[in-house]
Amino acid sequence: MCVSFLYIVYACYNIIMLYFYHGQEDFLIEAELNKLKDKLVDKSFIATNYRTYDNPKFPELMDILRTPSLMFGSVLAVVNCEKYFFDTKGKISFDDKELKQIEDTIQIIPDTLNIVFVCKIERESTKKIDTRRKLYKILAKHATVTEFPEWKTYSKELPVWIQKQAKQKDLIMAADVTQFLIERLGTNLRVINAELDKLKLAIYPTKAVKKEDIINICTSTEDIFVLTDYILKGDKDKALLEFQKLCTNKHYLEILAVLQTNFSKLASIKVDSVDKSPFEIASKNHLPEFIVKKHLEKLKKVPMDRLIKIRKNLLEAEYRVKTGEMAFYELPVELALLN
């Protein structure tokens, strides 16, 4: 009896704090990481005990798994690992011997070390984690695995999430108002969250949001569709003018996020148009058929490599903005549109 009790106590104190987050909704992934950071890392030691790594190769990964806290409190190590799971440029693979060492080390990581493997997938992408991979099986066995898929306009979770966010911001939104917000803004949670912040400031001290408030205050994704059309046509002057106009009401990262979604969808439609009818494409993408036909008309004279290049430029612009590589946020975005 005593031995059993000691075993239970030992097991409880040796719970491995290992997580694996993956999916298209990076806003939710970042929110979960912030929760973990607030819960596990002493604010006095954030600089030393909160660490991020970008697709480390085997030797560095082993060092990460063995590293104890240098100061008081727990360490939270975030390991971005997209190149572990997808055949992208610079893909990183582990052989069986390395995988065995990774699994053995995971089971004896220091008590003060918490590790989150993060695999973000592009929005509108059909990519999925291959659960047959040995690395996934190791993580699934030892870690708390959570998927964060991109919600669709018809997802039941989306209005629930919006209502929750609104409540946290001391806003009141009826069900029909929430649905109207989705129709106007789409499903990008980062965009929706930012627009809720704008609504809170604009209607204060009123708390109840009306459809008229959304029309007057929130930048419609339709406005960004206009910018998308200018970029497709190669009308650089109008594209830059429209971008500058949008920036007066909307954060530039939000604009980039919607543009990336738009061009991902256009690329998908372009690919499917080779062997699918407009009806089949509409069914696959959950779009009205007439919208698909409009897109196909616009895409007739646009080669696939141009769509790919535009999206690549937008991704690069977002990276340069987020990393602070460019001092003025407009410049990298403008360069993305001009290329």
Side-chain angles (χ1 to χ4, degrees), residues 47-74:
T48 56
N49 287 4
Y50 180 72
R51 309 165 186 175
T52 58
Y53 304 90
D54 186 24
N55 296 284
K57 294 183 180 179
F58 177 72
E60 185 183 2
L61 178 59
M62 292 303 293
D63 287 341
I64 295 166
L65 296 175
R66 292 169 177 155
T67 304
S69 172
L70 297 178
M71 302 291 287
F72 177 78
S74 297

Side-chain angles (χ1 to χ4, degrees), residues 10 15 25 33 72 97 153 193 205 214 231 246 298 319:
Y10 176 82
I15 296 172
E25 193 45 79
L33 290 176
F72 177 78
K97 184 179 178 181
T153 52
N193 185 67
I214 294 173
I231 298 172
L246 285 168
K298 293 175 187 176
Y319 174 80

